[in-house]
């Protein structure tokens, strides 16, 4: 059983045997061995299982492998959290790699903040390389934040690297709709924001390259195929929005989800029906232009 101080690197994967070994090699280069790798195979039809068996035989760190029927990344995330025995849980996608000192830096930082019950985990940056964040850098004066404040008040742009307390994640499972396979990760992370903060590491921890078969390259298609999860997410955002402009913007996107879900009475049943009436036309324009691509 893993020590309470250890870090679980979690990787959900689906038909990514062609890039998993690069992540494995980055884990082999880690300067700390206080971690394990937990893989949830979301019903791959390639040779992922055989590859993981091969990697396990020559791995200097523990690897746990679980296979499930294809249900999407968030269901795989729930499976990973349920099997995790470490104090910290960090999702590193199959097309990502860790910088060489990521584990050591995370655990060193965690020792300084882990006794604060208000802290749900650590937030760092994703980058093109160890010295180049994908977009904006964190403000120098930022020591603690929520995901919501970081993006909507500090106006950060770019993906983040997150290591959460496992026991916090277990309280906030993803709710994926029957017949759908996706809901954005922020559905959980912004719920956590309501009760906890994150300790800021102003460092690149994950090197990220966007692949053609990834979520970022297919975000509109994913929205069309998972509209109920999308409208649920946007309804939550409307409730959290603390400015009228943000509430209006999220209402437009909520109505986009309603359109693809074929939801009746979307305007009258919206959180703010008058605002939704004003947002209806922009939402329709998006549905028949941007979200049809």
């Amino acid at each position: 059983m893993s020590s309470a101080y250890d870090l679980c690197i979690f990787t959900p994967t689906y038909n990514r045997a062609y890039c998993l070994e690069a992540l494995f090699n980055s884990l082999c280069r880690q300067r700390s061995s206080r971690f394990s790798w937990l893989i949830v195979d979301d019903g791959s039809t390639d040779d992922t299982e055989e590859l993981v068996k091969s990697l396990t035989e020559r791995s200097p760190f523990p690897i746990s492998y679980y296979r499930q029927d294809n249900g999407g990344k968030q269901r795989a995330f729930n499976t990973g959290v349920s099997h995790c025995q470490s104090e910290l849980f960090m999702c590193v996608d199959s097309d990502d790699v860790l910088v060489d000192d990521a584990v050591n830096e995370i655990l060193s930082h965690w020792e300084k903040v882990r006794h604060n019950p208000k802290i749900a985990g650590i937030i760092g940056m994703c980058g093109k390389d160890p010295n180049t964040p994908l977009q904006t850098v964190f403000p120098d004066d930022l020591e603690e934040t929520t995901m919501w404040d970081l993006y909507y008040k500090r106006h950060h742009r770019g993906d983040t690297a997150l290591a959460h307390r496992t026991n916090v994640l277990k309280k906030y499972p993803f709710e994926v709709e029957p017949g759908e396979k996706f809901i954005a990760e922020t559905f959980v992370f912004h719920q956590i924001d309501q009760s906890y903060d994150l300790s800021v590491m102003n460092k690149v921890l994950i090197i990220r390259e966007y692949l053609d078969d990834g979520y970022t390259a297919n975000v509109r298609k994913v929205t069309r195929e998972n509209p109920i999860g999308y409208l649920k997410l946007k309804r939550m955002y409307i409730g959290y929005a603390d400015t009228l402009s943000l509430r209006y913007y999220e209402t437009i996107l909520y109505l986009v989800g309603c359109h693809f879900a074929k939801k009746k009475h979307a305007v009258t049943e919206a959180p703010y029906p008058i605002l939704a009436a004003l947002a209806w036309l922009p939402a329709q324009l998006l549905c028949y232009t941007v979200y049809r691509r």
Side-chain angles (χ1 to χ4, degrees), residues 246-269:
L246 181 58
R247 190 174 299 150
Y248 177 65
Y249 174 76
E250 297 297 343
T251 298
I252 292 172
L253 298 181
Y254 166 78
L255 292 175
V256 169
C258 290
H259 172 88
F260 289 113
K262 296 180 172 58
K263 183 176 175 62
K264 297 180 179 179
H265 314 299
V267 171
T268 57
E269 294 179 0

Side-chain angles (χ1 to χ4, degrees), residues 23 52 95 108 145 174 246:
L23 172 53
V52 173
D95 54 344
S108 295
T145 188
F174 284 100
L246 181 58

Side-chain angles (χ1 to χ4, degrees), residues 41-225:
D41 183 347
D42 191 41
S44 294
T45 57
D46 62 2
D47 59 346
T48 292
E49 187 168 2
E50 290 73 19
L51 173 65
V52 173
K53 287 179 181 177
S54 171
L55 298 179
T56 301
E57 291 172 358
R58 53 193 171 93
S59 176
F61 49 83
I63 299 178
S64 300
Y65 174 82
Y66 300 93
R67 182 179 172 86
Q68 64 181 31
D69 293 338
N70 181 248
K73 178 180 178 179
Q74 282 65 46
R75 289 191 176 96
F77 193 103
N78 288 345
T79 299
V81 170
S82 71
H83 287 289
C84 180
Q85 298 177 345
S86 300
E87 184 175 23
L88 287 178
F89 183 94
M90 182 181 189
C91 182
V92 182
D93 288 340
S94 52
D95 54 344
D96 293 339
V97 298
L98 285 181
V99 300
D100 292 354
D101 61 346
V103 171
N104 185 58
E105 292 277 1
I106 289 167
L107 293 177
S108 295
H109 186 94
W110 185 240
E111 289 297 333
K112 302 173 186 176
V113 300
R114 65 183 295 269
H115 296 291
N116 183 350
K118 180 68 175 175
I119 299 297
I122 290 170
I123 185 167
M125 292 181 288
C126 296
K128 300 175 183 178
D129 59 58
N131 301 307
T132 311
L134 284 177
Q135 294 189 45
T136 58
V137 298
F138 292 161
D140 288 335
D141 63 337
L142 196 60
E143 296 183 357
E144 295 177 7
T145 188
T146 62
M147 284 278 284
W148 185 272
D149 285 353
L150 181 65
Y151 284 94
Y152 291 102
K153 294 184 179 179
R154 294 283 191 152
H155 306 294
H156 177 70
R157 294 293 177 267
D159 290 349
T160 52
L162 295 159
H164 280 99
R165 293 184 192 267
T166 305
N167 60 7
V168 170
L169 291 175
K170 288 183 177 181
K171 294 190 292 185
Y172 298 92
F174 284 100
E175 300 170 11
V176 187
E177 293 297 312
E180 296 189 356
K181 294 183 179 180
F182 182 83
I183 189 167
E185 293 176 356
T186 48
F187 177 76
V188 161
F189 299 154
H190 289 327
Q191 289 184 64
I192 292 173
D193 288 341
Q194 308 310 301
S195 302
Y196 298 93
D197 293 327
L198 294 164
S199 184
V200 175
M201 285 184 65
N202 204 345
K203 297 176 181 292
V204 171
L205 300 173
I206 291 174
I207 307 301
R208 175 157 293 170
E209 178 183 355
Y210 296 117
L211 301 182
D212 291 341
D213 59 348
Y215 165 69
T216 301
N218 298 279
V219 60
R220 297 182 183 94
K221 179 175 182 288
V222 170
T223 298
R224 293 195 305 270
E225 294 177 349

Side-chain angles (χ1 to χ4, degrees), residues 7-39:
L7 171 68
C8 173
I9 304 295
F10 161 69
T11 300
T13 189
Y14 176 71
N15 288 346
R16 286 286 183 82
Y18 68 92
C19 62
L20 265 178
E21 193 155 2
L23 172 53
F24 171 76
N25 290 336
S26 79
L27 295 176
C28 290
R29 293 193 298 270
Q30 291 303 304
R31 294 166 186 161
S32 170
S33 60
R34 294 172 58 196
F35 72 94
S36 61
W37 193 19
L38 193 161
I39 302 168

